[in-house]
Amino acid sequence: MKGRTIVLDHIQGREAAALMVDGKLDDFLIATDAPAPGTIYRARADRPVKGQGGMFLTTPDGPAFLRQVKGLGPGALLLVQVTGFAEPGKAIPVSNRILFKSRYAIVTPDAPGLNISRSIKDEDIRDQLLEIAHEQMGDSAYGLILRSCCAGADAEEISEDISAMLTQAEQVMNDDGTEPELLSEGDSPHILAWRDWTDPAEVVTQEGGFETHGVLDALDTVRGASEPLPGGGHLYIEPTRALVAVDVNTGADTSLAAGTKANFACAKMLPRALRVRGLAGQITLDLAPMPKKDRRGFESALRNAFRSDPDETILAGWTPLGHFELQRKRGRVPVMEVLK
């Protein structure tokens, strides 16, 4: 099956969305019981954390943690936005830099100015988008970013999107409540799919779409530890309490050439493999043996592979034992924890 297909369905009573590319699962989103990233609270400062420059906050959904905060005393009220999912037993990660994000527009209350995505190069299109932005934002003190998918989009749809985000931003930012409160929920999987999977695709909304389009079969692979590598060998991905361990296995061929080939295949497929599993945090790659001269090429391949991935990933580098380490933002809950 060639092409891109977005499948919107439910699994185990949870809303979920799958992106299939050429018949293979490329991304997967599922609703969880935790507050979704993008959720906005009015929170109360609780207690500072010495040495970390952070503050524990009180929210209606439990404790949250705000990093690198200054001049905030216990008892103060502030608006915060959920930035990711907490590890078990830890506070909800939040930021005090609030964003209102939709398919075409991002309203930035703390960063004034009108900006167009740098990926839009055509000056005529940029001028048209700026005209729309000025018309919709008026004399608002808030900032606006128009996303790359605005290129070629309908002007009326872009205008409506900007207007909706600006209205939501004004309602939330001007809230004058006096107690911790949930002000805006983060987007559901179906809304996130519409918002972020913007490349042309067939959209399937019929019930049972996961079964008929191969999503359930793909999830069976995701739940397991092993995934085949193109050209032979396997990738073993095993989350532990401390980190995610990734082992590259070449199978029966133990030559350096086979090791190099398998490692480069790992670099290409690793972002998708982590993404569909919802895995993040500290990730350690136990690579197959390969000449040291190929390490720089492997790093370049890995960097290129993660460049288009939506979740922020830091390539930390090599360890003395020859492992390669990454640090990945916890933007999702592991699929295996949700689909038990």
Side-chain angles (χ1 to χ4, degrees), residues 299-316:
E299 289 182 55
S300 296
L302 199 61
R303 189 174 295 107
N304 289 336
F306 276 105
R307 188 165 287 133
S308 60
D309 190 78
D311 294 328
E312 180 183 355
T313 303
I314 298 171
L315 306 187

Side-chain angles (χ1 to χ4, degrees), residues 9 21 23 36 53 55 65 73 85 87 89 91 96 109 115 128 144 150 184 224 236 266 276 280 292 330:
D9 202 351
V21 177
M55 176 77 74
F65 184 69
F85 289 99
E87 298 178 66
N96 57 356
N115 300 279
Q128 292 169 8
L144 174 72
C150 288
S184 178
Y236 292 89
C266 164
V276 298
K292 281 192 175 182
R330 296 183 186 276

